[in-house]
């Protein structure tokens, strides 16, 4: 649980963070699409110490039948952490956290997809965290968005995840593991950058109204950068026009 200020110093005398970043600086990000041959669409992301694969299947007839919606597709994201993805071996299989993350990620992705075009179908999105270092839900949303685009699923916009928060009383972008563990607040967000729409907003810890506004603005600016990386990644595979689906 966040909220307490810890004894560990997370910002040095020069205002730099423990990994040398400025408060509003992202960790390095690398993306690739089309990494899983059997999937309809797939993508891979390295974001700081996170390594995550997403694979998309569908739209295909939803099964079991009672889950079908007559006027739209259902989006079923499954967030899963590999046993070897964290310091202490994670017990395989769904736990409370991954069930919650699967749900919020499904909802965030649904808001970007033209689900009404595919009644009675399911779009399955598998998010496999191979290595975790904080921010996996937002990195997972980002890589899932690329995999959906790679599958040719029509979306109102690509979706970008990004977190901001507070450490040592300073509002910072994109917390790493130490900052997540010993910081005061973490605010994961998912954004549709073209409209500025927010598809996910959670908050762990305490922020004042001004700090929250500041954190959201930081995440919004960063989302535009990450969005451009997504577009470039898709262009590298598909050429132009990826923005005009
Ligand atoms: O990953 P995210 O920040 O979206 O979610 P979190 O629940 O705030 O988890 C933060 C980090 O804690 C994860 O990214 C992992 O590095 C770590 N973690 C872990 O070590 N063991 C778990 N069972 C769950 C999370």
């Amino acid at each position: 649980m966040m909220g307490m200020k810890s004894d560990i110093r997370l910002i040095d005398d020069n205002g730099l963070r423990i990994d040398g970043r400025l408060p509003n600086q992202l960790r390095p990000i690398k993306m690739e699409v089309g990494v899983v041959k059997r999937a309809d669409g797939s993508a891979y992301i390295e974001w700081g110490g996170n390594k995550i694969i997403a694979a998309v299947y569908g739209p295909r007839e939803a099964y079991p039948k009672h889950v079908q919606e007559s006027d739209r597709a259902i989006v079923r994201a499954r967030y899963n952490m590999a046993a070897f993805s964290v310091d202490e071996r994670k017990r395989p299989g769904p736990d409370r956290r991954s069930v919650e993350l699967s749900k919020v990620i499904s909802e965030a992705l649904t808001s970007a997809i033209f689900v009404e075009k595919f009644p009675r179908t399911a779009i399955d999105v598998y998010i496999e965290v191979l290595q975790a270092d904080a921010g996996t839900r937002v990195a997972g949303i980002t890589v899932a968005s690329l995999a959906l685009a790679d599958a040719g699923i029509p979306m109102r916009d690509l979706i970008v995840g990004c977190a901001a928060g507070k450490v040592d009383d300073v509002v910072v972008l994109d917390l790493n593991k130490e900052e997540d563990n010993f910081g005061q607040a973490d605010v994961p967000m998912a954004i549709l950058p073209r409209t500025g729409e927010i598809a996910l907003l959670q908050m762990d810890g305490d922020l004042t109204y001004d700090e929250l506004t500041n954190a959201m603005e930081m995440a919004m600016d960063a989302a535009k950068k990450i969005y451009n990386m997504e577009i470039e990644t898709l262009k590298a595979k598909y050429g132009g026009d990826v923005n005009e689906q």
Side-chain angles (χ1 to χ4, degrees), residues 26-38:
L26 284 166
R27 292 176 284 180
I29 300 177
K30 275 196 323 204
M31 308 167 172
E32 200 182 325
V33 283
V35 294
V36 179
K37 293 287 167 269
R38 293 203 184 285

Side-chain angles (χ1 to χ4, degrees), residues 2 27 50 79 81 85-91 95 97 101 129 131-139 163 175-177 180-181 186 188 202 204:
M2 293 194 141
R27 292 176 284 180
N50 296 310
Y79 168 102
M81 270 185 155
S85 66
V86 290
D87 286 345
E88 306 237 327
R89 177 180 178 277
K90 189 202 159 285
R91 235 178 91 227
D95 52 17
R97 176 176 172 276
L101 293 195
V129 179
Q131 192 174 292
D133 191 60
T136 57
R137 80 192 64 192
V138 292
L175 281 67
N176 66 23
K177 184 76 171 74
D180 185 89
N181 282 357
D186 185 25
Q202 296 181 294
D204 187 9

